[in-house]
Amino acid sequence: KTKVKINYNNTIYNFSVNLIGKFQLENLHHAILLSVSSGLKIKQILKVVEKLKPIKGRLNIFKKNNKIICLDYAHTADGLEKVILTLKNHFNKNVNIVFGCGGNRDKGKRTKMGKIVKKLCKKIIITNDNPRYENPIEINKQIYNSIKRGKIISNRKTAINQGIKNLADNEVLLIAGKGHENYQIIKDKKISFSDYEEIKKNL
């Protein structure tokens, strides 16, 4: 949760929301302003706000036995950087990551994402995303070459398992790229797979 304090017409309102991250709070702020301008009372709005939940795949937090895991669909350099910094600032812990890049898409972002991960993350696991018609081994090598540390574990299920297993108390694990998706695209086939379900199994 995040504790929020707002001043509306010189009255201070304190409340908690089931969201983390500056950009999510900015979105919430705009939603409150729009609701007020549409004629709703501030007290009505805040009653609803406290019941809000993050959308599936966007900064979903799982906690058990001192382990903290975040599931997010960040698949661009900018999105990935924002999520990592959000986790660092919110939990005040080192961020580990399990991530990959899709095939037959913007190849230039692989190096950009790798450099961000190298700078901001402690333990790094590179894994398969949606390789499509590209060779996943080559995709992972391209990412690794921009980091030069961490592990390549091509099997995404194994990568998630290892990431959670090796998580220390002073770390939070980010599993990035697929979020709410319940499949992997390999060539022209959609193979059933869910990061969300794998996290739950491992916890």
Side-chain angles (χ1 to χ4, degrees):
K1 288 178 182 284
T2 303
K3 290 180 180 178
V4 182
K5 179 164 73 173
I6 61 169
N7 182 332
Y8 176 72
N9 283 348
N10 294 321
T11 301
I12 301 294
Y13 296 90
N14 292 283
F15 57 96
S16 293
V17 288
N18 295 306
L19 302 170
I20 67 169
K22 184 182 176 185
F23 64 94
Q24 294 213 102
L25 296 180
E26 286 173 351
N27 290 340
L28 177 64
H29 181 232
H30 292 312
I32 291 171
L33 287 173
L34 286 166
S35 300
V36 168
S37 67
S38 299
L40 292 174
K41 303 292 183 189
I42 190 70
K43 288 185 178 177
Q44 288 177 300
I45 296 164
L46 296 184
K47 277 183 184 176
V48 173
V49 162
E50 292 192 346
K51 297 175 184 176
L52 288 175
K53 294 179 180 178
I55 62 170
K56 196 168 183 182
R58 166 48 33 109
L59 281 169
N60 297 160
I61 304 297
F62 303 77
K63 282 185 174 184
K64 190 172 183 182
N65 300 331
N66 297 322
K67 289 186 186 287
I68 302 171
I69 294 99
C70 174
L71 172 68
D72 194 274
Y73 55 66
H75 57 278
T76 64
D78 180 62
L80 192 62
E81 184 173 37
K82 282 181 178 170
V83 170
I84 295 168
L85 291 174
T86 291
L87 294 174
K88 275 182 176 287
N89 293 333
H90 187 84
F91 292 106
N92 195 28
K93 293 175 182 280
N94 293 318
V95 177
N96 301 344
I97 191 166
V98 173
F99 85 113
C101 290
N104 303 115
R105 294 291 187 272
D106 179 14
K107 294 181 182 181
K109 75 178 183 181
R110 296 170 191 173
T111 298
K112 290 177 186 174
M113 289 172 74
K115 286 179 178 177
I116 287 165
V117 165
K118 180 181 180 179
K119 179 183 173 185
L120 298 176
C121 294
K122 187 180 178 186
K123 298 173 188 169
I124 300 164
I125 297 176
I126 300 161
T127 192
N128 294 355
D129 191 284
N130 291 324
R132 299 182 177 87
Y133 283 96
E134 273 194 78
N135 183 339
I137 294 171
E138 291 304 315
I139 296 172
N140 292 338
K141 277 183 185 175
Q142 287 169 28
I143 301 168
Y144 183 83
N145 286 338
S146 62
I147 304 171
K148 298 291 186 186
R149 65 183 178 89
K151 298 178 183 176
I152 296 176
I153 302 176
S154 296
N155 184 293
R156 196 171 180 94
K157 181 174 183 174
T158 305
I160 291 171
N161 173 275
Q162 290 299 306
I164 294 174
K165 185 179 177 181
N166 297 322
L167 189 60
D169 288 350
N170 65 336
E171 299 166 343
V172 55
L173 174 65
L174 169 60
I175 298 171
K178 294 180 62 60
H180 62 286
E181 291 179 3
N182 59 3
Y183 56 84
Q184 272 189 295
I185 303 173
I186 301 171
K187 293 188 177 176
D188 60 348
K189 292 182 180 177
K190 279 190 175 182
I191 310 297
S192 180
F193 185 86
S194 165
D195 286 1
Y196 182 90
E197 293 300 328
E198 289 306 317
I199 293 167
K200 283 175 35 175
K201 282 179 196 171
N202 280 280
L203 290 179

